[in-house]
């Protein structure tokens, strides 16, 4: 079945770039997503990418997709303490279908 | 409403009891999803509705779990004979009919089974 894997923890210094990685198994993935979850809060969509794209940039966020290796990454430029949260990668493989989530990467930003 | 609303935000119950969790999606969103999130884990898919009907209920763990959406708007997740292992945050999400399948999530209902 579909599976999405992420490393569990990442720690960076304020002002540095953060790169969060994700791998997935479903070769028919259509869309891939990054969601952010702050303590005690629901999931907030950060960005998503269509599977025929290699890269998408949105302000401080850059998403890179390597479809051949089934690898997705999220780069956050100039990381701030307010970026500390859990980041979830997710994929869906058809229009209107369910999203499959990874277990989340906890990003800790130290001043 | 402006966002996805879930009630109650917290529910504590005893093992064996029946529980209902409610989700009020964004007005006009045709699809509604239920996920379960255990501590330290990612959201786990349970069921999703397209209108009034369940389009995919493959994530429901067993027949103690049931969900309805009778008028294509509000949905209720029902858990019978609760077990301690059912303790989790239950997340609801909704989306529009078209587009990139972007889900908007509610804040969740935290269920604790003692």
């Amino acid at each position: 079945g579909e599976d999405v894997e992420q490393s569990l923890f990442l720690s960076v210094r304020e002002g540095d770039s953060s790169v969060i990685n994700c791998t997935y198994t479903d070769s028919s993935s259509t869309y891939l997503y990054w969601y952010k979850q702050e303590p005690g809060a629901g999931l907030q969509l950060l960005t998503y990418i269509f599977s025929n794209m290699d890269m998408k940039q949105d302000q401080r966020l850059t998403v890179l997709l390597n479809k051949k290796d089934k690898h997705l990454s999220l780069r956050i430029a100039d990381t701030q303490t307010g970026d500390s949260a859990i980041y979830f990668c997710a994929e869906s493989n058809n229009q209107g279908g369910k999203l499959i989530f990874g277990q989340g990467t906890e990003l800790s930003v130290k001043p | 409403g402006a966002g996805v609303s879930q009630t109650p935000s917290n529910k504590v119950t005893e093992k064996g009891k029946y529980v209902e969790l409610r989700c009020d999606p964004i007005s006009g969103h045709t699809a509604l999803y239920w996920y379960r999130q255990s501590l330290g884990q990612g959201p786990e898919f349970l069921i999703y509705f397209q209108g009034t009907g369940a389009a995919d209920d493959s994530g429901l763990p067993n027949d103690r779990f049931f969900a309805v959406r009778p008028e294509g708007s509000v949905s209720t997740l029902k858990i019978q004979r609760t077990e301690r292992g059912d303790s989790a945050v239950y997340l609801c999400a909704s989306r529009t009919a078209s587009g990139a399948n972007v889900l908007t999530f509610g804040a969740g209902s935290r269920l604790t089974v003692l």
Side-chain angles (χ1 to χ4, degrees), chain A residues 33 35 37 48 95-97 99, chain B residues 35 37 48 95 99-101 103:
Chain A
Y33 311 80
Y35 278 82
Q37 188 174 41
Y48 65 93
Q95 187 73 14
L99 268 65
Chain B
Y35 282 80
Q37 187 175 23
Y48 93 89
R95 66 164 180 84
N101 201 22
L103 303 189

Side-chain angles (χ1 to χ4, degrees), chain A residues 17-72:
Chain A
S17 291
S18 308
V19 179
I20 302 171
N21 294 299
C22 169
T23 57
Y24 59 97
T25 58
D26 189 350
S27 57
S28 61
S29 292
T30 308
Y31 291 98
L32 295 120
Y33 311 80
W34 285 103
Y35 278 82
K36 176 183 180 182
Q37 188 174 41
E38 294 179 276
L43 283 90
Q44 171 196 357
L45 177 74
L46 287 178
T47 187
Y48 65 93
I49 189 168
F50 188 49
S51 60
N52 68 355
M53 297 169 63
D54 297 324
M55 186 182 89
K56 181 177 180 181
Q57 187 150 3
D58 184 0
Q59 299 183 336
R60 291 191 298 123
L61 305 179
T62 304
V63 177
L64 295 178
L65 174 61
N66 181 327
K67 197 172 179 182
K68 174 175 167 290
D69 294 338
K70 299 190 188 69
H71 183 267
L72 183 75

Side-chain angles (χ1 to χ4, degrees), chain B residues 39-99:
Chain B
L39 192 63
Q41 301 294 316
E44 173 194 14
F45 171 76
L46 296 177
I47 184 171
Y48 93 89
F49 291 88
Q50 190 65 256
T52 60
D56 182 348
D57 64 357
S58 61
L60 293 177
N62 51 58
D63 62 6
R64 295 186 299 105
F65 288 74
F66 191 70
V68 295
R69 195 187 186 201
E71 297 176 358
S73 178
V74 171
S75 176
T76 304
L77 179 66
K78 307 179 182 203
I79 311 173
Q80 298 178 318
R81 303 183 304 279
T82 51
E83 300 178 356
R84 292 196 181 87
D86 299 335
S87 296
V89 176
Y90 290 81
L91 298 168
C92 179
S94 68
R95 66 164 180 84
T96 58
S98 59

